[in-house]
């Protein structure tokens, strides 16, 4: 056997060994998740009260909403979200940041989530067996308010135990916006 042929065989086996160990060191493939079975569109979970065309500076409005822990909206009927995910605080992601800007905010149920201007915590409550969010907003900023009424509620467990609600604030116009004026 000549030297170059022996080196070729060694390089061939070395390449196979590198490929084999490379494959073993890769992360295992992710589990396929049926995202359609865990995503639901549920209208009007949130309300803004009182919802009016006109307010005065200093008026207080309440934004609140809740989603039942035992949920009939997904492919698996009546799934117990807390039990399946192990998550006691849902993430609330909303487009209504203009409602919060330059106004006084008092969280009754829930809190601001670190990291983004429109992320909030929506904690689970044993009373009523639901995830809840409620905030009082003192309208300090005068002028026209015009903001998207859309919200997402994410309950993110391990693996495929993730559930998402696409919702909105009740009373939005045809463009899915809430509009009102705050006067001096």
């Amino acid at each position: 056997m000549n030297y170059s042929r022996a080196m070729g065989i060694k390089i061939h086996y070395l390449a196979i060994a590198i490929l084999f160990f490379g494959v073993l060191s890769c992360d295992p493939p992710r589990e396929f998740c049926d995202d359609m079975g865990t995503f639901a569109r549920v209208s009007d979970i949130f309300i803004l009260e009182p919802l009016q065309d006109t307010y005065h500076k200093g008026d207080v409005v309440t934004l609140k909403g809740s989603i039942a822990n035992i949920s009939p909206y997904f492919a698996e009927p009546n799934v117990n979200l807390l039990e399946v995910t192990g998550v006691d605080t849902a993430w609330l992601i909303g487009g209504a940041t203009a409602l919060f800007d330059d106004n006084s905010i008092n969280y009754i149920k829930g809190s601001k989530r670190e990291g983004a201007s429109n992320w909030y915590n929506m904690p689970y409550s044993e009373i009523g067996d639901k995830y809840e969010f409620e905030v009082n907003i003192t309208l300090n900023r005068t002028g026209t308010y015009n903001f998207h009424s859309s919200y997402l509620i994410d309950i993110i467990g391990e693996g495929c135990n993730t559930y998402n609600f696409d919702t909105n604030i009740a009373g939005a116009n045809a463009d899915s916006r809430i509009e009102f004026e705050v006067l001096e």
Side-chain angles (χ1 to χ4, degrees):
M1 180 183 252
N2 68 25
Y3 176 75
S4 55
R5 181 175 158 102
M7 284 305 292
I9 292 172
K10 286 182 182 178
I11 290 173
H12 178 74
Y13 284 122
L14 180 61
I16 290 172
I18 289 172
L19 180 63
F20 179 74
F21 287 113
V23 168
L24 288 179
S25 67
C26 290
D27 290 335
R30 293 187 56 98
E31 181 180 359
F32 173 75
C33 298
D34 178 12
D35 292 342
M36 293 305 293
T38 60
F39 178 86
R41 170 76 179 130
V42 183
S43 297
D44 303 339
I45 288 177
F46 288 90
I47 60 171
L48 183 64
E49 59 185 13
L51 182 57
Q52 304 171 176
D53 292 332
T54 306
Y55 299 92
H56 290 90
K57 184 176 180 177
D59 285 350
V60 177
V61 295
T62 301
L63 176 65
K64 64 182 176 179
S66 65
I67 192 74
N69 176 45
I70 306 296
S71 179
Y73 302 109
F74 302 109
E76 178 186 334
N78 297 317
V79 62
N80 183 319
L81 299 170
L82 180 65
E83 185 177 286
V84 170
T85 64
V87 174
D88 65 357
T89 302
W91 292 12
L92 176 61
I93 305 153
T97 57
L99 181 59
F100 292 80
D101 293 344
D102 301 321
N103 290 322
S104 300
I105 310 301
N106 181 26
Y107 292 95
I108 308 300
K109 297 174 184 172
S111 60
K112 178 78 176 79
R113 187 167 188 84
E114 294 294 322
S117 63
N118 62 339
W119 288 33
Y120 306 92
N121 295 310
M122 193 170 177
Y124 170 77
S125 172
E126 288 182 8
I127 301 170
D129 192 28
K130 56 189 170 183
Y131 293 86
E132 299 177 298
F133 184 79
E134 183 176 348
V135 61
N136 288 338
I137 303 159
T138 303
L139 300 171
N140 299 324
R141 180 173 47 88
T142 58
T144 301
Y145 286 66
N146 183 344
F147 53 88
H148 285 283
S149 70
S150 59
Y151 277 93
L152 291 174
I153 301 170
D154 292 336
I155 302 173
I156 303 173
E158 294 292 321
C160 290
N161 292 327
T162 298
Y163 295 85
N164 311 97
F165 296 89
D166 180 16
T167 190
N168 63 293
I169 300 172
N173 65 20
D175 295 327
S176 298
R177 301 183 73 77
I178 301 285
E179 298 179 34
F180 58 82
E181 186 80 20
V182 176
L183 307 172
E184 192 63 45

